[in-house]
């Protein structure tokens, strides 16, 4: 018996169903149920809350979220091998867990969830960044989610919370801190996973702000910062020359010297630049 519910330990679940983590799916299984419950608690009080989970695998975090009182968990899993194990959790928590087989990039969670909604996931490494950017750049704000509690490689987590001028500062930091408060709330060593990845991991908690910190169009801002940091060693007038033919004028209008580099520019500066670019 595990420490959080009456279902078998995850090591037995994996053995019973013949599961092994697949590198092609970015999988690393977290087997310590006390640890998955601790991660679930980072999402806050889950009573009366629907939770979206991506890539549940054999269901360690899923069980943590349910044990911590989530009203409902929608678990989207691409790997059909994991469905029988998740089905056992469905039976143990009647009416509170819905499992959908498919690619999270193609599924609309709002068709299955009711507000308030939070996202909690040990994201597959191969889609984690793309999902985060999607959640941070919807056309309308506030988003469908109250908070995101997400596990990443430590390097990615540090990029999300990075400050201007630091080596990790870039697109993820700007998009995350534009519309959310972001902080690292847990660190996990490789040996916490099966199989152990080559790097450490960390859990980042992002709380949606009522409104963005500075005015900007999400698509324009995303395009500008992506171009700026794609060639971060270049001066902005060179890195952004494909954004607009008169990019030096747009940079000056935003109060940015064309000879500056991307890592020198603050969030407020990039938002001003996005407005200048959008102005045409």
């Amino acid at each position: 018996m595990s420490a959080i519910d009456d279902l078998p330990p995850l090591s037995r679940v994996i053995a019973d169903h013949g599961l092994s983590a697949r590198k092609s799916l970015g999988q690393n299984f977290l087997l310590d149920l006390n640890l998955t419950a601790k991660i679930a608690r980072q999402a806050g009080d889950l009573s009366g809350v629907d939770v979206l989970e991506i890539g549940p695998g054999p269901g360690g975090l899923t069980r943590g979220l349910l044990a911590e009182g989530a009203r409902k968990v929608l678990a989207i899993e691409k790997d059909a091998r994991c469905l029988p194990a998740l089905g056992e959790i469905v039976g143990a928590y009647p009416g509170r867990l819905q499992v959908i087989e498919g690619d999270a990039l193609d599924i609309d969670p709002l068709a299955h969830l009711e507000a308030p909604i939070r996202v909690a996931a040990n994201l597959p490494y191969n889609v984690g960044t793309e999902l985060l950017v999607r959640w941070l750049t919807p056309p309308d704000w506030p988003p469908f989610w109250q908070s995101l509690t997400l596990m990443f490689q430590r390097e990615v987590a540090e990029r999300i919370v990075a400050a201007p001028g630091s080596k990790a500062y870039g697109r993820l930091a700007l998009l995350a801190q534009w519309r959310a408060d972001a902080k690292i709330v847990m660190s996990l060593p490789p040996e916490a996973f099966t199989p152990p990845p080559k790097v450490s991991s960390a859990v980042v908690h992002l709380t949606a702000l009522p409104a963005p910190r500075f005015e900007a169009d999400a698509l324009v801002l995303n395009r500008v910062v992506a171009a700026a940091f794609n060639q971060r060693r270049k001066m902005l007038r060179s890195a952004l020359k494909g954004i607009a033919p008169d990019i030096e004028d747009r940079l000056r209008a935003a109060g940015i010297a064309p000879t500056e580099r991307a890592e020198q520019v603050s969030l407020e500066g990039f938002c001003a630049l996005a407005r200048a670019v959008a102005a045409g």
Side-chain angles (χ1 to χ4, degrees), residues 6 138 229 278:
D6 293 333
F229 286 96

Side-chain angles (χ1 to χ4, degrees), residues 155-193:
E155 178 186 355
V156 177
E158 289 174 347
R159 285 162 50 197
I160 294 168
V161 303
S166 66
K167 185 178 179 181
Y169 181 65
R171 176 183 177 222
L172 287 184
L174 285 155
L175 295 180
Q177 296 170 40
W178 176 45
R179 286 173 153 177
D181 284 328
K183 60 182 179 179
I184 294 176
V185 293
M186 281 182 65
S187 296
L188 296 98
E191 54 268 24
F193 299 87

Side-chain angles (χ1 to χ4, degrees), residues 20-152:
S20 59
R22 285 184 174 171
K23 187 176 181 180
S24 62
L25 295 174
Q27 292 174 329
N28 293 97
F29 296 152
L30 196 56
L31 301 188
D32 186 335
L33 288 167
N34 291 312
L35 196 52
T36 62
K38 184 177 180 181
I39 295 169
R41 287 194 289 273
Q42 302 304 318
D45 183 1
L46 297 179
S47 57
V49 173
D50 282 7
V51 179
L52 170 63
E53 183 188 6
I54 308 299
L61 180 57
T62 313
R63 289 164 63 175
L65 294 166
L66 292 165
E68 290 298 316
R71 178 176 63 194
K72 176 183 177 179
V73 174
L74 172 66
I76 300 176
E77 178 54 64
K78 190 174 183 178
D79 187 356
R81 299 176 307 145
C82 296
L83 300 182
L86 294 169
E88 294 176 2
I89 307 173
V90 172
Y93 293 91
R96 294 178 56 203
L97 173 61
Q98 179 182 0
V99 179
I100 296 179
E101 179 185 0
D103 190 329
L105 297 172
D106 301 327
I107 294 170
D108 177 14
L110 295 184
H112 308 278
L113 298 172
E114 295 183 6
I117 300 168
R118 298 179 192 168
V119 181
N122 173 11
L123 288 176
Y125 286 158
N126 52 358
V127 296
T129 300
E130 183 174 354
L131 283 168
L132 176 61
V133 170
R134 285 192 185 192
W135 290 329
L136 291 171
T137 56
D140 300 315
W141 198 266
F144 74 86
W145 49 270
Q146 291 183 332
S147 67
L148 309 172
T149 305
L150 307 173
M151 189 185 305
F152 294 100

